[in-house]
């Protein structure tokens, strides 16, 4: 079998070999190339020790030298070159106590998580596939290298990684590997939020985000996102819905593009429904207040999972407004744009559409038409460059000071009042008219 390696990868392998070491492309890049996908990055595994690697290349970075990883820079791109290693005994389902370098490639492949990730390749030796990764690639199966119980006990994150790869590749999880996840899911509690976050994002932004359902079924969400378990357990008896809150959520994930903020928003948009649920005397469920409460809960969850503030703010804003349905007139749309912020509007329309497509067919056409009209009006307001944010007012604080006002709270109030006027009457947003208005306001206020 022949794989086309990039020229730089071949160059690194060649240099190592010429100096008496062994070297191969390994892991994700081999897997992805065999699947006809383009790899995110190219990793190289070698019998050379980190110091020996560093001596052979002019530009290297000590990425994880204690674990044997040196990044070799070639043509402004980095290639991780890692010494063959055996991970010593594992402590607390997370950290290998020690890393032992080895001269044996197969020993290195043995420590890797799944058979499809444990293949190595170079032009001279061809494919080295000691655990039938190729067979599992053909079958579309995620299977642990070795005994799954042992492997998940060594590093509990691998359980979530199994589902992440299933979601990215559209694969299923081999039976024993799956049973081991079910049995050991509780160990995920020992893994750091940062590592869980990375796998969760990869799973959610994949082609098969519905794998989040298996994350629940195998008992993993219970550990890092118990709120999702509550959603799966909460029914929605009401004409707008045909699924439980959780199943609806899974459907909406599949109806939106694979963007981190959008997928996180769909995952959590109804997170407060289980705590807001009521039942009327017709036996129908209602979820009053769930968007506002959901934004509060989502902030807590995303903080817990160590997401950055920008992501948290954007997701929470979209959750807060996902179910707002203002009566559509230009004034209300301008007010919505001011509240939600222009940069969040397109995402909001995508969220609303995905939410609708995850609901029952009841009034679906009307709901989608409403969103279309909302979006069209939003675009017109943008095109006409109407003022929907305070910084676009035709005057600012300095103009008011020049007019004789004192800096301070009063001045801020005048600007706020002018902005309110302009939101209702965009034609007022000229320097002359605002100065005149400001003059009237201040004489009235004094
Ligand atoms: P991606 O496309 O997301 O980069 P990848 O397979 O390259 O996929 P990485 O997380 O970058 O995944 O890891 C690179 C390789 O290192 C994997 O293919 C696997 O062989 C090995 N590996 C990574 N994490 C683990 C782990 N927790 N346990 C065992 N092996 C692992
Ligand atoms: Mg990788």
């Amino acid at each position: 079998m022949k794989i086309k390696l990039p020229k730089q990868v071949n160059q690194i392998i060649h240099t190592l070999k010429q100096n008496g070491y062994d070297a191969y492309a390994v892991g994700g890049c081999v897997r992805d190339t065999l699947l006809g996908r383009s790899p995110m990055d190219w990793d190289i595994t070698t019998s050379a020790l980190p110091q020996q690697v560093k001596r052979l290349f002019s530009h290297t970075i000590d990425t994880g030298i204690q674990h044997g990883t040196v990044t070799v820079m070639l043509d402004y791109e980095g290639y991780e070159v890692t010494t063959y290693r055996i991970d010593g005994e594992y402590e607390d389902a997370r950290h290998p106590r020690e890393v032992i370098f080895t001269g044996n490639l197969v020993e290195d492949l043995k420590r890797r998580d799944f058979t499809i990730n444990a293949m190595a390749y170079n032009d001279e030796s061809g494919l080295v596939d000691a655990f039938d990764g190729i067979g599992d690639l053909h079958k579309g199966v995620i299977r642990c290298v070795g005994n799954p119980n042992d492997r998940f006990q060594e590093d509990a994150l691998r359980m979530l990684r199994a589902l992440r790869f299933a979601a990215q590749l559209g694969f299923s999880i081999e039976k024993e590997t799956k049973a081991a996840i079910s049995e050991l899911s509780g160990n995920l509690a020992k893994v750091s939020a940062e590592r869980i976050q990375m796998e969760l994002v990869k799973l959610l932004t994949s082609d098969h985000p519905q794998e989040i359902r298996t994350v629940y079924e195998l008992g993993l969400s219970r550990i890092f996102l118990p709120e999702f378990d509550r959603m799966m357990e909460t029914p929605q008896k009401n004409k707008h819905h045909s699924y439980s809150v959780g199943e609806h959520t899974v459907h909406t994930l599949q109806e939106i593009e694979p963007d981190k903020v959008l997928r996180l928003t769909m995952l959590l948009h109804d997170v407060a429904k289980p705590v807001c649920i009521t039942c009327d005397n017709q036996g129908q469920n209602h979820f009053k207040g769930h968007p506002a409460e959901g934004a509060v809960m989502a902030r807590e969850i995303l903080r817990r999972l160590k997401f950055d503030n920008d992501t948290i703010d954007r997701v929470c804003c979209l959750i807060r407004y996902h179910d707002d349905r203002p009566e559509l007139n230009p004034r209300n749309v301008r007010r919505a744009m001011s509240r939600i912020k222009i940069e969040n509007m397109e995402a909001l329309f995508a969220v609303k559409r995905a939410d609708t497509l995850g609901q029952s067919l009841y009034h679906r056409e009307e709901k989608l038409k409403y969103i279309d009209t909302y979006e069209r009006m939003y675009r017109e307001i943008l095109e006409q460059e109407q003022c929907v944010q305070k910084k676009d007012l035709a005057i600012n604080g300095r103009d008011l000071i020049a007019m004789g006002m004192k800096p301070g709270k009063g001045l801020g109030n005048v600007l706020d009042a002018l902005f309110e006027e302009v939101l209702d009457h965009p034609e007022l947003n000229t320097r002359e008219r605002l100065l005149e208005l400001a003059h009237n306001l201040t004489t009235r206020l004094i």
Side-chain angles (χ1 to χ4, degrees), residues 140-242:
V141 158
I142 311 289
R143 179 200 311 270
C144 281
V145 172
N147 177 310
N149 281 61
D150 295 347
R151 304 314 309 282
F152 293 145
Q153 262 159 27
E154 288 168 1
D155 179 2
L157 185 73
R158 289 174 187 155
M159 298 188 280
L160 190 55
R161 282 173 62 83
L163 291 159
R164 181 264 273 202
F165 287 115
Q168 286 181 323
L169 305 172
F171 280 21
S172 59
I173 313 235
E174 178 275 328
K175 199 158 148 265
E176 283 178 29
T177 299
K178 198 168 183 171
I181 298 177
S182 240
E183 189 184 324
L184 298 169
S185 55
N187 283 0
L188 191 64
K190 300 176 190 171
V191 173
S192 74
E194 287 84 351
R195 293 182 80 206
I196 290 177
Q197 185 216 108
M198 276 181 58
E199 298 300 328
L200 176 67
V201 166
K202 286 184 176 177
L203 185 153
L204 288 175
T205 55
S206 71
D207 282 352
H208 306 275
Q210 65 272 27
E211 276 302 318
I212 193 73
R213 195 185 277 131
T214 325
V215 175
Y216 161 73
E217 287 165 359
L218 297 183
L220 292 171
S221 55
R222 161 180 76 97
I223 306 302
F224 68 94
L225 194 59
E227 295 86 352
F228 187 71
D229 292 42
R230 302 293 84 74
M231 291 158 77
M232 291 300 279
E233 296 153 2
T234 303
Q236 305 193 84
K237 268 203 222 101
N238 126 1
K239 54 187 181 299
H240 294 285
H241 286 282
S242 2

Side-chain angles (χ1 to χ4, degrees), residues 216-312:
Y216 161 73
E217 287 165 359
L218 297 183
L220 292 171
S221 55
R222 161 180 76 97
I223 306 302
F224 68 94
L225 194 59
E227 295 86 352
F228 187 71
D229 292 42
R230 302 293 84 74
M231 291 158 77
M232 291 300 279
E233 296 153 2
T234 303
Q236 305 193 84
K237 268 203 222 101
N238 126 1
K239 54 187 181 299
H240 294 285
H241 286 282
S242 2
Y243 313 112
S244 69
V245 175
E247 276 302 320
H248 159 71
T249 297
V250 173
H251 280 85
T252 64
L253 281 168
Q254 294 172 269
E255 297 289 354
I256 205 155
E257 63 181 279
D259 166 85
K260 177 165 98 168
V261 165
L262 294 178
R263 291 270 167 101
L264 283 170
T265 301
M266 292 339 289
L267 178 71
L268 299 175
H269 76 287
D270 280 346
V271 69
K273 277 191 169 176
V275 300
C276 294
I277 190 168
T278 57
C279 190
D280 65 21
N281 43 23
Q282 263 85 271
Q284 297 288 296
N285 292 132
H286 302 280
F287 305 94
K288 207 163 173 289
H290 79 274
E293 182 58 26
V296 173
M297 287 176 71
R299 185 167 295 275
E300 209 178 282
I301 292 167
L302 295 171
R303 279 216 186 114
R304 190 175 78 209
L305 291 172
K306 307 275 192 247
F307 278 91
D308 60 280
N309 287 334
D310 179 55
T311 303
I312 296 177

Side-chain angles (χ1 to χ4, degrees), residues 1 5 9 34 58 67 82 112 114 124 143 182 198 202 253 271 278 294 300 334 361 380 411 414 438:
M1 191 165 321
L5 301 177
V9 174
L34 290 170
S58 58
H67 299 110
T82 305
R112 295 174 183 270
F114 306 110
E124 214 171 287
R143 179 200 311 270
S182 240
M198 276 181 58
K202 286 184 176 177
L253 281 168
V271 69
T278 57
E300 209 178 282
R334 279 192 298 273
L361 291 172
E380 273 167 25
L411 186 145
V414 170

